[in-house]
Amino acid sequence: MASIHALPDPTATAPTGRHLVRSWLWASPAVYLPIARRRYPGPSPKVIGPETQLVIEGYMRSANTYAVHAFQSAQRRPVLLAHHLHAPAQLIAAVRRGIPALALIREPEDAILSQVQWEPDVSMAAALSTYARFYRALEPYVDGLMVATFTDVTDDLGRVIGQLNARFGTTFDLYEATEENERLCFELMQERASAIPGWRTLVQRFESGEISREQLLDLRSRFPTRVDTDGDDVWSPSAERRRTKEALRRSWNEASLAAARAEATSVYHAFLTAATRTRAPRDPRDRLDRPAPPSDRR
């Protein structure tokens, strides 16, 4: 895992090769998804397939992990999820196949500042550019998506799931943000980073809907020491990360980033505006008139 404490150069223009190549490919299901299937054989991240019942996906640092864990913990029966690719292709494929899809979005400043903490080898300029590309690629498909903001998800995921059910005619169980549910959710989010043999895989199987919450908790008792992260909570805000983020926030206002900031902010508002026009319920069996190419019909 990359250090999240080293400050990157906010005015640098060259992202890592991985980040650059990924941002070129991630909007094409026909190109990106076959690569993802080879790179991520499972159990998590999970790539969309014929068995997928729901896609939960968004740009990184947009409450993806919380949404997946809280959603699955609420289900009486696990739901087969495609998730955590952080690629538009996953959501585009869901729309084309008529699969219910929840697209997550966070306002660009907090999303980008959190990202460059997490990936210090990715410049702020590069992150702003890929953020804009991510949601611009999804705009033509927004009428087939349920869109939720970071605040929507973290404040009341149960309400979001209710809207998802109304949008797609599904009957997913609603999440209740009780103290017990929230505690378990954040513990499991932390434990997904564990290096304990076998446990990380079980948590990932829970994320993807291969085992239920009850099955996971039953298995959990066999792993009395599960977290191996040197005491660093990798998901919840820490004092050090808050300080680092505030230092980055000062760089956010650099004049050299003005155009990129404006573009990302414009894309954010345009995407949310488009999403508000398409919230009428629809039958998920009614595929939109955007047939996928043969190579994407898996």
Side-chain angles (χ1 to χ4, degrees), residues 177-199:
T178 64
E179 183 177 346
E180 178 183 358
N181 286 341
E182 290 284 274
R183 176 185 53 77
L184 178 62
C185 183
F186 281 98
E187 284 179 0
L188 292 176
M189 287 166 61
Q190 174 77 345
E191 291 172 15
R192 80 190 297 269
S194 172
I196 303 301
W199 180 244

Side-chain angles (χ1 to χ4, degrees), residues 193-267:
S194 172
I196 303 301
W199 180 244
R200 177 178 180 141
T201 299
L202 289 171
V203 177
Q204 291 175 332
R205 290 183 62 198
F206 165 72
E207 289 180 352
S208 298
E210 295 180 5
I211 60 175
S212 67
R213 167 176 160 158
E214 288 69 27
Q215 289 172 311
L216 182 67
L217 294 182
D218 180 60
L219 294 165
R220 199 180 194 222
S221 63
R222 306 179 192 179
F223 296 85
T225 304
R226 296 175 300 273
V227 179
D228 183 16
T229 58
D230 298 323
D232 185 17
D233 186 337
V234 297
W235 303 110
S236 299
S238 68
E240 184 175 355
R241 280 201 291 281
R242 281 191 289 268
R243 287 192 296 270
T244 304
K245 191 171 184 178
E246 286 309 308
L248 285 169
R249 200 180 297 277
R250 291 192 292 272
S251 300
W252 171 264
N253 293 315
E254 291 285 340
S256 61
L257 297 175
R261 285 196 308 270
E263 174 68 7
T265 302
S266 174
V267 168

Side-chain angles (χ1 to χ4, degrees), residues 32-33 36-37 40 42-58 64-65 67-69 71-72 78-95 97 99-104 145 164 172 192 204-210 298:
Y32 182 78
L33 294 181
R37 290 186 183 103
Y40 307 114
S44 175
K46 190 69 173 179
V47 185
I48 191 169
E51 74 289 349
T52 300
Q53 296 172 285
L54 174 66
V55 174
I56 297 179
E57 195 67 272
N64 290 268
T65 303
V68 166
H69 274 258
F71 175 87
Q72 289 288 30
V79 174
L80 294 174
L81 289 185
H83 60 97
H84 271 100
L85 291 187
H86 305 305
Q90 185 106 296
L91 291 163
I92 293 169
V95 173
R97 300 177 188 201
I99 296 172
L102 177 61
L104 307 179
L145 300 168
L164 183 75
F172 300 127
R192 80 190 297 269
Q204 291 175 332
R205 290 183 62 198
F206 165 72
E207 289 180 352
S208 298
E210 295 180 5
R298 288 186 55 181

Side-chain angles (χ1 to χ4, degrees), residues 20 35 54 87 278 297:
L20 181 60
I35 296 172
L54 174 66
T278 59
R297 295 180 186 270

